[in-house]
Amino acid sequence: MFTRIFGKPKQEANTLTTLDKLNETLEMLEKKEKVLLKKAAAEVERAKEFTRAKNKRAAIQCLKRKRLYEQQIEQLGNFQLRIHDQMIMLEGAKATTETVDALRTGAAAMKAMQKATNIDDVDKTMDEINEQTENMKQIQEALSTPIGAAADFDEDELEAELEELEGAELEEQLLQPATTAPAAPVHVPAGRQSTRPASSKPTAEEDELAALQAEMAL
């Protein structure tokens, strides 16, 4: 139990320490490589000077030392490559471990949530919600039901009465006499105005219209 609790932080600390150590070693090898490169370049310059001075033996010795430096430089390059490879592997392993730990934590949290939420409790909660919803529906229906004298009214009778009122209204509109627009005044010149008084006797069309209205009234 305690190993599982305290082992993971210690392991992560060891991984970080190892990465730091490898990084320090890599920097040291790079510095040595720069120094050897400078020494190899210096031997080349010395070999050129001895060549100009016709000292062939000394020039050859410089070139030998240059090759020794180049061998060391190549060896340091191989060391750096191995360290880079080791660092990449450790970083990948660290990322894999962190991913697995995160997934394990998520799975544990999901398990705890499922354990805290029992299916029976969910069913019980849903039943309570449905019951409360049904009760509220019944309460609303009870409140909307008419009470007292209004509860005794027959809806069919009220609709029939309404239809009778509408029919009577339509019949009344049909029996009303049609209104005619007043005739427009005709302008007659002053010299041609008739001196006969207008006849007050109804015309034949007016008699027919009055008879029609009387029949409709019956």
Side-chain angles (χ1 to χ4, degrees), residues 2-164:
F2 292 99
T3 303
R4 292 181 60 186
I5 295 176
F6 298 103
K8 184 162 51 177
K10 184 178 180 181
Q11 182 181 0
E12 184 176 358
N14 291 335
T15 303
L16 294 175
T17 303
T18 304
L19 288 173
D20 292 339
K21 181 64 177 178
L22 289 174
N23 194 21
E24 292 176 0
T25 304
L26 184 62
E27 292 178 356
M28 180 267 295
L29 292 175
E30 290 175 350
K31 290 179 181 180
K32 286 187 176 182
E33 183 181 8
K34 291 180 180 179
V35 172
L36 291 175
L37 287 172
K38 289 181 180 180
K39 288 183 177 182
E43 292 297 334
V44 172
E45 295 298 328
R46 292 178 64 186
K48 291 179 180 179
E49 293 177 0
F50 287 129
T51 300
R52 287 191 292 268
K54 306 300 182 181
N55 190 346
K56 184 177 180 180
R57 184 179 179 83
I60 291 176
Q61 292 296 324
C62 291
L63 293 178
K64 287 180 179 181
R65 288 192 293 270
K66 179 184 76 72
R67 290 192 176 183
L68 291 174
Y69 291 143
E70 288 176 350
Q71 291 177 358
Q72 293 181 4
I73 291 171
E74 184 178 359
Q75 187 177 12
L76 291 175
N78 293 330
F79 290 163
Q80 294 178 40
L81 183 60
R82 291 181 180 179
I83 290 177
H84 275 297
D85 186 31
Q86 190 70 24
M87 291 177 67
I88 291 173
M89 291 179 62
L90 283 174
E91 290 175 351
K94 181 174 178 294
T96 301
T97 303
E98 292 177 350
T99 302
V100 173
D101 291 340
L103 292 175
R104 187 183 294 111
T105 303
M110 182 65 69
K111 184 177 181 180
M113 292 173 64
Q114 292 178 353
K115 185 176 180 181
T117 306
N118 192 0
I119 185 63
D120 295 334
D121 295 337
V122 175
D123 293 337
K124 183 179 179 181
T125 302
M126 293 305 298
D127 291 339
E128 291 177 355
I129 292 175
N130 293 331
E131 182 179 359
Q132 295 298 328
T133 302
E134 186 64 25
N135 292 337
M136 182 58 65
K137 185 184 297 184
Q138 294 178 2
I139 292 173
Q140 292 177 352
E141 291 178 356
L143 293 175
S144 61
T145 302
I147 59 177
D152 298 332
F153 294 155
D154 189 352
E155 294 292 335
D156 295 335
E157 293 181 357
L158 294 175
E159 291 182 0
E161 184 178 355
L162 179 61
E163 291 179 358
E164 292 179 359

